[in-house]
Amino acid sequence: MFVVGLTGGIGSGKSTVSAMLASRGAVIIDADLITRQLQEPGAPVFESMVDRFGSGIVAADGTLDRQAVADIVFHDADALADLNALVHPAVGAEIANQLAAAAGAPVPNGAQRPVVILDVPLLVETGRSDVEVVVVVDTHEHHQHERLVTQRGLDPADATARMSRQASRADRLNRADLVIDNTGDLDQLEREVERVWQELCARSAPTGIASEE
């Protein structure tokens, strides 16, 4: 299978791009979705988080209060390290399971192998080496900030803090093999995704792997 890393800063529009790629036949492995599933009430990760951070991170309906968690770890490096130690290994294991399952996925039209999109917000920060191509969804920082405030309802200072804890725009672009420009409207984004999709299909030829061995 042809494994593609998809990343972008918070508020960049990566989820929209991921959905567009899925509509073209790609298999999506969404690290954020996996994380949320592992943090559902009763799951081992959820229980470990409550043990570490206390019942204050549990909302009235019994689910995880993500803002309460953020309020703790964004201001405490040790707490953030503990959270990562609880969550990241479990997420990594589930990603590995889904990658194995995706090996038998259908081959999209125009491609020569199943195309698997590994949607990882912190791909640049974690330095994953198990992808053949890195695609970055790029937009201006002020667009990211505006989306976080207007679409997700974050406090402006919180939005700024979350952005600052991710790789810089320059760092992501430096890691990119392909860039999807999301500085325009939805129609432009659709064209950008189609352009990159055609390039991914072209790069999916198995000879690309053989030449690297």
Side-chain angles (χ1 to χ4, degrees), residues 124-212:
V124 172
E125 292 86 338
T126 56
R128 295 191 69 101
S129 59
D130 56 348
V131 299
E132 296 180 51
V133 175
V134 172
V135 177
V136 170
V137 182
D138 179 57
T139 192
H140 296 302
E141 288 93 341
H142 66 269
H143 287 160
Q144 290 177 249
H145 193 272
E146 180 181 5
R147 288 168 184 162
L148 292 175
V149 173
T150 61
Q151 297 179 15
R152 300 196 192 180
L154 295 184
D155 176 83
D158 188 17
T160 299
R162 294 188 185 214
M163 290 173 60
S164 71
R165 285 172 172 79
Q166 293 188 335
S168 69
R169 184 185 184 193
D171 287 341
R172 283 191 295 270
L173 291 174
N174 186 57
R175 180 71 174 84
D177 297 302
L178 297 169
V179 177
I180 293 176
D181 180 3
N182 190 19
T183 58
D185 59 18
L186 196 60
D187 288 339
Q188 182 204 19
L189 180 60
E190 186 71 55
R191 291 191 294 271
E192 281 286 289
V193 170
E194 178 61 22
R195 174 184 62 80
V196 168
W197 175 250
Q198 292 301 324
E199 179 64 23
L200 292 176
C201 287
R203 295 191 184 201
S204 70
T207 54
I209 294 179
S211 64
E212 294 173 2

Side-chain angles (χ1 to χ4, degrees), residues 92-129:
E94 181 57 26
I95 286 175
N97 290 338
Q98 293 192 21
L99 280 170
V107 178
N109 290 335
Q112 298 189 44
R113 286 181 282 166
V115 178
V116 179
I117 305 296
L118 187 52
D119 183 343
V120 181
L122 301 181
L123 186 145
V124 172
E125 292 86 338
T126 56
R128 295 191 69 101
S129 59

Side-chain angles (χ1 to χ4, degrees), residues 2 8 13-14 16-17 30 36 49 70 74 76 90 120 124 135 138 154 185 204 209:
F2 181 48
K14 182 173 57 61
T16 301
V17 168
D30 185 337
R36 290 194 295 271
M49 290 176 62
F74 280 173
D76 185 331
V120 181
V124 172
V135 177
D138 179 57
L154 295 184
D185 59 18
S204 70
I209 294 179

